[in-house]
Amino acid sequence: MPRVIIIGASRGIGLELARQYAGAGWEVLATVRRDADLPEIAGVTGAVADMLDEDSLAKVAAQAGSGWDVLIVNAGVNVVDTNLASLVADDWTRVMTTNALGPMLVARQLGGAVKDGGTIAALSSTMGSITQGGGGYYAYRMSKAALNMGLMNLSQELRPRRIKVVALHPGWVKTDMGGASAAVEIPDSVSGLRRVIDTLPGGKAAQYLDYQGAVLPW
């Protein structure tokens, strides 16, 4: 039975990842931040953890053990700072810490649970692409660009273990963050993300792909 750990599965993309993987016969360990949000899905084991709290992540790592095929970091936050005048330092720090540092702490605590040759994936965004960068949303764009750099570094460090590392853009998805006007339904995004993860080639540095498998410019 293949096995996946999902960080951030209380709602939206993370919850649907847990649902689809469990439905496909995978063993699923899914984390949320509060007991009240633990998923009630057959085949899914829930755990409470905050990716900025390494003690809680260490407990998940002890629960997980080793031999997992995939680790997915889904959790993230955003704020509305559409121009420089609306940029708030405290908000920037919170978004940067959560979106860029958080996945690195997850990898530090749970990377050992992933088997050699496995996969570590983190939800990024085209908004983190410097090449395609648009205006506004300073905190979110900068945090995802920093995340992408962190994942590139991580792929180099984990090369001896042949672990594949990927930054994934899920599309503009109809989540709480994406809004009702978004173009992609959650199940469609998740199905695509799973296909990309399943077919990810090894032997490369970190890759930056969208949910349809298209290569994105860093």
Side-chain angles (χ1 to χ4, degrees):
M1 179 186 294
R3 310 165 79 201
V4 59
I5 301 172
I6 301 167
I7 305 298
S10 61
R11 64 184 188 276
I13 291 173
L15 182 60
E16 183 63 18
L17 280 165
R19 183 178 292 115
Q20 287 197 21
Y21 272 115
W26 285 56
E27 179 182 349
V28 180
L29 175 58
T31 74
V32 296
R33 294 179 64 193
R34 304 181 305 165
D35 286 319
D37 294 329
L38 287 168
E40 297 182 358
I41 303 171
V44 177
T45 300
V48 176
D50 186 322
M51 66 179 179
L52 296 179
D53 179 356
E54 289 198 80
D55 288 340
S56 68
L57 293 173
K59 291 177 181 177
V60 175
Q63 177 181 349
S66 60
W68 293 78
D69 297 272
V70 179
L71 169 63
I72 303 174
V73 185
N74 168 68
V77 296
N78 189 16
V79 293
V80 178
D81 50 358
T82 53
N83 54 40
L84 191 60
S86 62
L87 178 64
V88 177
D90 286 347
D91 287 344
W92 182 93
T93 300
R94 177 171 63 89
V95 173
M96 182 65 73
T97 302
T98 301
N99 294 354
L101 175 61
M104 298 303 104
L105 300 181
V106 170
R108 180 157 71 184
Q109 291 296 331
L110 287 163
V114 179
K115 69 182 185 181
D116 290 356
T119 299
I120 296 177
L123 271 289
S124 184
S125 170
T126 53
M127 292 176 74
S129 169
I130 293 176
T131 303
Q132 292 186 347
Y137 294 93
Y138 281 79
Y140 190 75
R141 289 183 186 279
M142 293 171 73
S143 73
K144 291 302 185 180
L147 168 64
N148 289 351
M149 176 58 79
L151 293 172
M152 181 62 75
N153 283 2
L154 183 64
S155 73
Q156 305 296 333
E157 186 167 343
L158 296 179
R159 181 170 289 178
R161 295 182 55 202
R162 307 183 312 283
I163 290 179
K164 300 178 286 290
V165 178
V166 61
L168 291 172
H169 170 56
W172 182 24
V173 188
K174 292 181 180 178
T175 60
D176 291 346
M177 187 181 295
S181 299
V184 183
E185 298 290 343
I186 293 173
D188 295 333
S189 172
V190 169
S191 294
L193 292 172
R194 289 180 53 228
R195 281 193 298 271
V196 172
I197 291 170
D198 287 348
T199 58
L200 198 64
K204 295 186 177 182
Q207 297 173 75
Y208 186 21
L209 308 171
D210 73 8
Y211 75 105
Q212 296 176 315
V215 177
L216 300 174
W218 298 96

